[in-house]
Amino acid sequence: MKIMVIGAGQMGGGIAQVMAANNHVTYLNDISMELIHKRVDFIGAILQKNVDKGKISPDQRMETLSRILPTISLDDAADCDLIIEAIVENMEAKASIFSKLDLICKPSCIFASNTSSLPLTEIAACTNRPDRVIGMHFMNPVPVMKLVEIIRGLATSDETYEVIKQLAKDIAKVPVEVRDVPGFVSNRVLQLMINEAIYCLYEGVATPQGIDTVMKLGMNNPMGPLELADFIGLDTVLAIMETLYHGYGDCKYRPCPLLRQYVKAGWYGKKSGRGFYQY
């Protein structure tokens, strides 16, 4: 299967790595070749660590890297069998990408979105192939996490679902079918916990370290919710909370004012050097 991953960020790079490691020729697309090469270098470094640990051979590393093809042109998607979009969590941006790809890609090509909260039915409506549009929500970091939420839009065909379900299994992931509702399962539950942790900080209940320690030692979470929010990106957390808030119309999803303030300050978490912690 020939694949194009749109977006060379943390998620897109991880998806490209996994696909290439499982023998799929994979275009990695973004707006800048510099960004793409930086991500490919990062993937190479991760694979080298796996070589050093004896998990893969040097030849496997080189073969995986050889299957990742950097490109800034969407035209290279013309002969692809699958597109996996992993760009910013914004409906207008996703709709624009898929509308362009709809004119470029062959009719049989499947469009998958790695959206973490946006409705697949609305994304599909931006194309002339809604039966071949589906959600493929990977968890971060993609090479490590086993889960893939598979979200069917209103018009997604059984054939499309079965192809993507089998692909998930082929790359050693565990697919779970989820209804097309805001936040699906993962973020509907997770983001509420993160938002409530932010409210605890906002109300002075405990320090960031205290809140995270309670959740790690008391609930056996591998990361505290504030640390995790920094890792995800506070701008992304806010975007997901906004989607949940507007999608359900329920005040329990109202983003904490402190979250909004941090995002306005440019404190996005690890990627900006400052969030609830400094990096």
Side-chain angles (χ1 to χ4, degrees), residues 176-207:
V176 175
E177 183 179 358
V178 179
R179 283 181 54 206
D180 186 19
V181 298
F184 318 128
V185 172
S186 57
N187 277 312
R188 183 174 176 175
V189 175
L190 174 64
Q191 299 301 332
L192 267 179
M193 180 184 73
I194 289 175
N195 197 50
E196 196 62 31
I198 299 171
Y199 266 112
C200 286
L201 179 63
Y202 182 55
E203 295 167 5
V205 177
T207 64

Side-chain angles (χ1 to χ4, degrees), residues 115-130:
T115 179
S116 54
S117 62
L118 296 174
L120 264 297
T121 298
E122 186 175 345
I123 292 173
C126 301
T127 76
N128 291 309
R129 62 184 82 201

Side-chain angles (χ1 to χ4, degrees), residues 46-223:
I46 293 295
L47 293 173
Q48 185 58 52
K49 289 181 180 179
N50 289 339
V51 171
D52 295 341
K53 294 176 182 177
K55 293 181 178 180
I56 62 173
S57 68
D59 286 347
Q60 285 175 309
R61 175 183 180 275
M62 291 305 299
E63 288 168 4
T64 295
L65 290 173
S66 71
R67 295 189 197 101
I68 300 176
L69 309 178
T71 179
I72 58 173
S73 174
L74 291 179
D75 290 337
D76 286 330
D79 63 343
C80 287
D81 304 297
L82 171 65
I83 305 296
I84 303 177
E85 168 272 313
I87 64 170
V88 63
E89 193 71 353
N90 176 277
M91 180 58 76
E92 289 184 8
K94 293 182 189 295
S96 176
I97 285 287
F98 280 121
S99 295
K100 292 174 184 176
L101 288 168
D102 201 33
L103 301 174
I104 296 169
C105 296
K106 57 190 179 184
S108 61
C109 182
I110 294 173
F111 290 176
S113 176
N114 183 56
T115 179
S116 54
S117 62
L118 296 174
L120 264 297
T121 298
E122 186 175 345
I123 292 173
C126 301
T127 76
N128 291 309
R129 62 184 82 201
D131 60 315
R132 304 190 74 77
V133 178
I134 196 165
M136 203 174 186
H137 181 211
F138 290 85
M139 304 296 118
N140 193 20
V142 179
V144 176
M145 303 295 280
K146 291 292 185 183
L147 175 67
V148 178
E149 284 184 306
I150 300 181
I151 304 97
R152 298 177 65 153
L154 192 62
T156 305
S157 68
D158 292 339
E159 178 187 3
T160 298
Y161 170 73
E162 291 299 333
V163 169
I164 296 303
K165 178 182 177 181
Q166 188 58 52
L167 173 63
K169 291 180 178 179
D170 291 344
I171 60 173
K173 301 299 182 186
V174 178
V176 175
E177 183 179 358
V178 179
R179 283 181 54 206
D180 186 19
V181 298
F184 318 128
V185 172
S186 57
N187 277 312
R188 183 174 176 175
V189 175
L190 174 64
Q191 299 301 332
L192 267 179
M193 180 184 73
I194 289 175
N195 197 50
E196 196 62 31
I198 299 171
Y199 266 112
C200 286
L201 179 63
Y202 182 55
E203 295 167 5
V205 177
T207 64
Q209 294 86 351
I211 293 165
D212 282 347
T213 299
V214 167
M215 297 306 293
K216 285 190 286 187
L217 299 186
M219 311 306 166
N220 206 29
N221 290 352
M223 295 177 72

